Amino acid sequence: MDQHTEHNSQESPDQPHLLAQRDGIKRPPLVLNKRTMGWISSYVSTIVESKTPLWWYISIAITSPIALLTPLLICYLVSTGVGVWGNNSPVAWAWDITNFVFWIGIGHAGTLISAILFLTRQKWRTSINRAAEAMTLFAVVCAGIYPLFHVGRVWKVYFLAPVPNSNAIWQNFRSPLLWDVFAVSTYFTVSILFWYTGLIPDLATIRDRCTTKIKKFFYGILALGWRGGNRQWRHYEMAYLLLAGLSTPLVLSVHSVVSFDFATSVIPGWHATIFPPYFVAGAIFGGFAMVLTIMLPARAIYPQLHDMITPMHIDKMCKVILLTGSIVGYAYLMELFMAWYGANPYERAAFWYRAFGPYWWAYWSMMFCNVISPQVFWFPWCRKNIFVVFIICMFVNAGMWFERFVIIATTLARDFLPSSWGMFHPTWVDIFTFIGTFGIFTTLFLLFVRFLPMICMFEVKAVLPEANPHYGEDH
Amino acid sequence: MKRIFQHPARDVQPTLWRNSQERENSAIFNESLQREFPAGADRAGEKHETQGLSRRDFLRLTGASAALAGIGLSACRRPEAYLVPFTRSAEWTIPGKFLYYATTMPAPAGAIPLIVTTSDGRPTKIEGNPLHPMSNGSTDAFAQASLLDLYNPYRSKAITLDGKEATSSKLDSYLAHLREGALSNGGEGMAIVVERIGSPTRDRLRDALLKEFPKITWVEYEPLSTHFFEQACDTALGEGVRPIYHFKKADVIVALDADFLNPSVAGFGLANGFYARRNPDQQMNRLYAVENHYSLTGGLADHRFRLQARQLGAFTAAMSLLVGTKTNNASLKLLATTWIHNNPTIELSSESQKWVSAVVEDLLANQGKSLVLAGGEQSIGIQLMVLGMNAALGNFGTTLEVAATGIKPTSSLKDLAEAIEAGSIKKLLLFQVNPVYTASSEKNWTDLIASVPETLHLSLCEEETSKVSRWHVPAAHYLEAWGDVRSLDGTLCAVQPMILPLWNGYSELEILHALLGEPRAEGPALIRETFNSFSQDHSDGTWNNYLHQGFLSDSAWPVSQPSWNDPAVQRLIATLKPQQPFSKDDFECVFLPSSSVYDGRYSGNAWLQETPDFVTKLTWDNALLMSPADAKRLHLSDGDFVRLSDGQHSIDIAILTLPGHANGSVSASLGYGRKNISHIVSNVGFNVYPLRTAASPRYTSSVSIKPLTGKKYVFAQTQEHHNMEGRDLVREGTIERYQEDPKFAQTMGMDGHIPPNIGLYTRPPFTAQEQWGMSVDLNTCIGCNACLLACQSENNVPVVGKDQVRRGRDMAWIRIDRWFASPDGSDKNPEMLPQAIMCQHCDNAPCETVCPVNATVHSEDGLNLMAYNRCIGTRYCANNCPWKVRRFNFFDYNLRPLDQLYYGPLAPKGMADSLKMSKNPNVTVRMRGVMEKCTFCLQRIEEAKIGRLVQAGASDSHKTPIAPFKTACQQACPSESIVFGNIADAKSTVSQRKESPRDYTMLKYLNARPRVTYLARIKNPNASMPDADKVGLANGTVHHEAAGEHADVGPTHFDQHGVVSPQASTSVVSPQIMENSK
């Protein structure tokens, strides 16, 4: 608890001139309507405890069949061959890796909110981190499907694991694809640990409120015997801090490593040093848009969440989107500049074909969605209007998919030798496998909403004014 | 069963003993020694253990449970396969070692001498016979692919009579019946139609048959005939006298719609000596081509002129008139004036006239050192004028000599058709010809054959003609039957079987022999009889030597000085008829031999179907080719359907624009659009035979084109972009530029500006003694596809089908990129540049660094290896390959039917047994999900290395030179454009090639250091030609600045910097760097 006290003491300025400033622009409270700690516990827990609402049944009845598409089509893919997708020569990677990078990018916001904002003491993170982290995990699950099953012989995929074998062949540690395997699996493991660690105190709260034995047993197991004692809290906070420290470099490394798949290649349009920062910025950009995309409907369904996920939260996330969107836009322009300034005809051609080649529509969709549309967030009105925010977030989601498609498919479609140039056309299997991953994502999220506390109760309680030891004092 | 231990005899009185019984040597003790366990030992303590489990019961239960577990798990076992050795060794064979036999492929344009590789009695690879005077050990694409014809699962497998299966004895009695009938009436009413393959044995049997039954009608028929050419030769040079060309002596060659560089069309070996004269370091020849569409010859020509085929006569006449006037040759002048007089309406454009005068000027300057050629299907007038020009230019006896072949003209198919219509033919035997399909325009051969009471058709596969014939007899492939054939120079070549007929096919010689009433000939008896008439020495030794080397030395037709038979020519001139008149607004339609199926005879061959056309890069289809300008004028684009009509017949066909095509002219390949044969043959392309007439087989001078609305046709092209986009991929210059700046190709474009290269990594050492490399000479590469087919056959490259090619998934390990380039960017008459691209085996291979599982790695001898077993199929290597030479098995192309690839496990699995036999046993057949690519024929390299070890024996193998060998593509290349070898050996041909100033590396700036380099293309333009300023400028206008600016730092910076790079400064020096630092 001590870090909170310390934190709060920083916030109570003792210099007179700052005091005046503080009185002038008062920060909005993190929880509105003066909700008490008890209210928070009971409201968040009620979502899990109450009778399953009808909308939930309807939603899951829609999403789960969609989710089923992906495993069914993966079975078709594995039994028949990668050819059921539209990949070809020269476009040997297409929607598979596009979707992988798309989903893994989305998976960045959760850990960023949980870890980096935790380390930088951004208290507003508390009400959104749980859901954002869950979203991260589900996005990584969706992402992981693609690199696993896009290979020609998935039954030999254990060759990627550095285990001793009778062939005495090691992996190729020069290959960014191998780093990818390590980076993504590490990220998934740490994210799931981080998420679960964060869940333990809240699981204990739910366990304590349970009315049926079965529920009590189930949540009891998950709560790992949490009693909320002082020593437990001390260990817990340390563990959480360590995991946050561990996750922070991962947020930066995973998408950097993913970008190495392209940056370390020789293909014009891929071979660029700008990729790692640009990919990370893009991932945060896309991730935040996806957090908003799912938080806004959740907030609409549970109106009391408005007290915890306040307009200020949305405003801050919009600002992050605006910042990262502008970084991404800068990167796009810098790519074009480098292509021109580098004077390499292959590089120049690659970017020319991106903008004016056969896939021009993908490029300009990307430009509009990612660079132009988030600029409306300069205006506070737009950041406050839920509908505008939602629409822009949808644009960003689409734009980030187009970005990956542009980078992967349009680059491969036209590389060095014009004789090999060829177009990629998705097949129905491509399309429905991708749609299926949205089904998986939403189904998992619906299950999460139904069975686990969507808001990190104990952390929200810790940022209430009452949690401040100096609460009520006037000095 | 219990083991009995036989103890050695014991001493009667042992010095050492275990107990007193042993010391006493008692019987009880000795008996106990014979048993491992004393009686009842297994039962010992049974009483004690009755409460629990006895040892035996324990073992019993353990065994039973293991067995039960085995039943459950037995489904997890891999299927068992057996390697069965010969119980008795077959003569000569060593399992795993190839045997090589000489044979010859009979082909309509000229026989191809071959060496066939057999593996355990199966022919698996076809190569040229380097011993043969007409061969340099190369083949054409058709010869390579003929292997698949042998194993084609769609071959006919049974004799049928009226659609029902018949026995061979029934056929024998039918042949006897035919003979009986002929004996009674001298063969009246019997006709035999055969293809044109100059087989001496067949001629002998024919003569015998016609002697016995003089009334038999004998027809030799080829859809792509050289009938007019032969008629012209018979008239002007003497009966049966044919020209022999000496390209080595020719400085100037004019090809008038003559694709003489295409061995499959012009005849194998015809262009011998031509490529030697394309070396810019020696005196280079100059080639002019006049044609309506791009041919291989036109692609290589120094000057190419687009001309409608129907105007070729006028063009030739103008040339002849000029040559005749300048050389004062009355006969030629008469020929030309007669032609012009007969065809007063055809006028030449001013561009044509400029061309004519400049070309003739060059010809006149090179009298006796020139050659004028015309395509075999051109009209007799053109043929005579061309022969006349050669005579007037003094080429007779220098570049053109003649051989008396004794070939006599036979009745034509037209005569036969008339006879059938008259009802005088009662018995019709058709051997390996398919007139129902190929002669469909003038006569309805379906009805004609149906009207003959007794018909027999001999063919490899069931064809259109088989379906209307009463008897269908499966033919023996040339690799299954004895035969003989004369090559283009007349040398007697042996056709030796490599295998017994797979499906009991008959050869035409056997049937002819049966008609002569002889008992079935054993083995080569028929052939040996013919051989004995050729050779003075009838001994077994000579015969065996003939079979061993595949031909009889010095059996070529004697070559002599030609003489011009003026009176006969004069008589013929009088009978010449005018060309069919045409309106300028009408299109002409030119009929081309297909680069893949020839006249349709190879359409059952999946390898050939999937081989892209030389020029259009079209697979599994033909198309109506037209110039982009015409397409624009008619508002058509690729894939649009048009109705092509000559007034009587019309066909619907999809169009494809082809740069360099003449305006007002369309062309289409023959041999496509066959229906209901097998799934390979059916539904590919469009049949244009109905528009073709025997009188004018090359073109129909007037057709109308009506655009049709509706669905577009989607072609399966392996290359869709034809512009180099200013990238210096193929580098080209004129001879003048080359002589000024020999290293111009090395500083072209970006290569003049590559900054110093600094490497962070030390490359793994190239420790092997041999360092493999390859050089491709773009000056002689014509893009003839022979290498593609050779690679396909050698490396078990699968066929993927039209649908997969459309999706960009063709598997060819070597491809020929074909570029159209012109200095001003207009596509009216661009140059055509072919370039063979295979895996470049880069020293710094981009594919190797990105493979996560180390499935593609480098060898010590500089090969980029591919371990299929290790590959999981991430396809990252393919993405990172700048040359895009890696091929991925998106489906199980080898094991699933190509039309059911998307059914996955629901489709039947497995390969036809005959196709299994066709595979090279030394090359893995790849499964789905793995990447593959050119290996530089690794299996041949390893075979040579093993050979060295064997030869070295106990001595130091490293000092034993490696046996010479070639990669499959190199071996097949007719122009010796591809050279492979050890680049660490400065004396090797490949090293010398790489020393050439023309040597350049593609995409050099990537520092991938490919082991494949290219020799720039050099053109030899004539400065007085109207298009002289456009020749040799495929890379745009000359970039003088690059050459000048960097002259001080040496030929290529890159190599200079390469020497100082950290890689080179270590003890590891690549052979390439060693070469450069010399």
Side-chain angles (χ1 to χ4, degrees), chain B residues 725-770:
Chain B
E725 298 293 341
R727 303 173 176 191
D728 303 303
L729 306 172
V730 174
R731 300 188 181 175
E732 193 193 48
T734 58
I735 185 91
E736 207 178 2
R737 184 178 180 194
Y738 175 65
Q739 280 157 356
E740 252 171 47
D741 174 18
K743 296 195 169 185
F744 78 96
Q746 293 175 352
T747 49
M748 207 171 242
M750 268 179 99
D751 286 6
H753 306 273
I754 296 170
N757 173 51
I758 296 160
L760 284 175
Y761 295 101
T762 309
R763 219 192 351 247
F766 292 118
T767 49
Q769 195 184 359
E770 282 86 21

Side-chain angles (χ1 to χ4, degrees), chain B residues 301-317:
Chain B
D302 297 303
H303 291 281
R304 175 180 178 272
F305 189 57
R306 294 186 302 154
L307 187 76
Q308 292 176 2
R310 58 192 179 191
Q311 290 197 321
L312 192 77
F315 191 93
T316 315

Side-chain angles (χ1 to χ4, degrees), chain A residues 76 78 83 85 87-89 92-93 96 150 152-153 170 172 175 261 265-267 344 349 415-416 419-420, chain B residues 727 807-809 815 817 819 848 850-852 854 869 871-876 879-880 884 890 902 928 1005:
Chain A
Y76 178 44
V78 172
W85 284 344
N87 302 38
N88 57 26
S89 177
W93 287 351
D96 44 357
H150 95 294
R153 302 199 301 165
W170 276 96
N172 180 7
S175 170
D261 284 346
S265 78
V266 299
I267 303 301
N344 180 330
D415 69 338
F416 292 100
S419 55
S420 306
Chain B
R727 303 173 176 191
R807 291 171 196 261
R809 292 171 182 167
R815 62 170 199 261
D817 284 357
W819 305 107
E848 287 171 17
V850 298
C851 174
N854 264 330
N869 285 348
C871 177
I872 59 169
T874 67
R875 306 187 293 285
Y876 197 176
N879 286 341
N880 209 26
K884 289 286 174 281
F890 283 96
Y902 287 84
R928 93 173 141 95
Y1005 89 97

Side-chain angles (χ1 to χ4, degrees), chain A residues 76-93 96 150-153 155-157 159-160 165 169-172 174-178 260-262 264-267 270 344-346 349 353 412 414-422 427, chain B residues 718-721 723-725 727-729 750 807-809 815 817 819 837 846 848-854 868-876 878-884 886-888 890-892 896 901-905 927-930 1002-1003 1005-1006:
Chain A
Y76 178 44
L77 174 92
V78 172
S79 65
T80 306
V82 182
V84 300
W85 284 344
N87 302 38
N88 57 26
S89 177
V91 192
W93 287 351
D96 44 357
H150 95 294
V151 299
R153 302 199 301 165
W155 50 95
K156 296 284 183 194
V157 86
F159 286 169
L160 286 165
N165 58 67
I169 306 171
W170 276 96
Q171 285 62 41
N172 180 7
R174 295 178 299 173
S175 170
L177 213 58
L178 191 69
F260 289 162
D261 284 346
F262 311 110
T264 62
S265 78
V266 299
I267 303 301
W270 280 10
N344 180 330
Y346 299 98
Y353 295 133
L412 290 175
R414 294 195 158 191
D415 69 338
F416 292 100
L417 269 54
S419 55
S420 306
W421 289 358
T427 63
Chain B
T718 57
Q719 182 182 352
E720 288 163 354
H721 203 89
N723 186 336
M724 277 197 285
E725 298 293 341
R727 303 173 176 191
D728 303 303
L729 306 172
M750 268 179 99
R807 291 171 196 261
R809 292 171 182 167
R815 62 170 199 261
D817 284 357
W819 305 107
I837 307 246
E848 287 171 17
T849 55
V850 298
C851 174
V853 293
N854 264 330
Y868 306 124
N869 285 348
R870 181 71 182 170
C871 177
I872 59 169
T874 67
R875 306 187 293 285
Y876 197 176
N879 286 341
N880 209 26
C881 174
W883 290 270
K884 289 286 174 281
R886 289 181 157 261
R887 298 281 176 258
F888 185 67
F890 283 96
F891 289 108
D892 236 339
R896 303 281 186 191
L901 289 172
Y902 287 84
Y903 296 178
M927 73 178 301
R928 93 173 141 95
V930 301
M1002 274 174 93
L1003 302 177
Y1005 89 97
L1006 289 175

Side-chain angles (χ1 to χ4, degrees), chain A residues 166-227:
Chain A
S166 57
N167 301 326
I169 306 171
W170 276 96
Q171 285 62 41
N172 180 7
F173 292 101
R174 295 178 299 173
S175 170
L177 213 58
L178 191 69
W179 314 338
D180 231 22
V181 174
F182 297 151
V184 173
S185 53
T186 310
Y187 184 64
F188 185 70
T189 314
V190 173
S191 297
I192 208 163
L193 282 175
F194 195 38
W195 179 67
Y196 185 64
T197 309
L199 264 169
I200 289 171
D202 284 355
L203 287 170
T205 307
I206 294 189
R207 173 200 62 196
D208 295 346
R209 293 165 55 97
C210 278
T211 47
T212 66
K213 271 202 158 173
I214 296 167
K215 277 190 183 173
K216 208 171 193 80
F217 176 78
F218 173 68
Y219 286 106
I221 298 262
L222 289 177
L224 299 177
W226 178 263
R227 285 288 172 272

Side-chain angles (χ1 to χ4, degrees), chain A residues 415-449:
Chain A
D415 69 338
F416 292 100
L417 269 54
S419 55
S420 306
W421 289 358
M423 294 284 285
F424 164 79
H425 303 285
T427 63
W428 65 274
V429 185
D430 274 301
I431 294 165
F432 286 105
T433 308
F434 183 46
I435 291 174
T437 57
F438 282 100
I440 293 174
F441 183 75
T442 44
T443 304
L444 288 172
F445 202 79
L446 283 169
L447 290 170
F448 161 74
V449 167

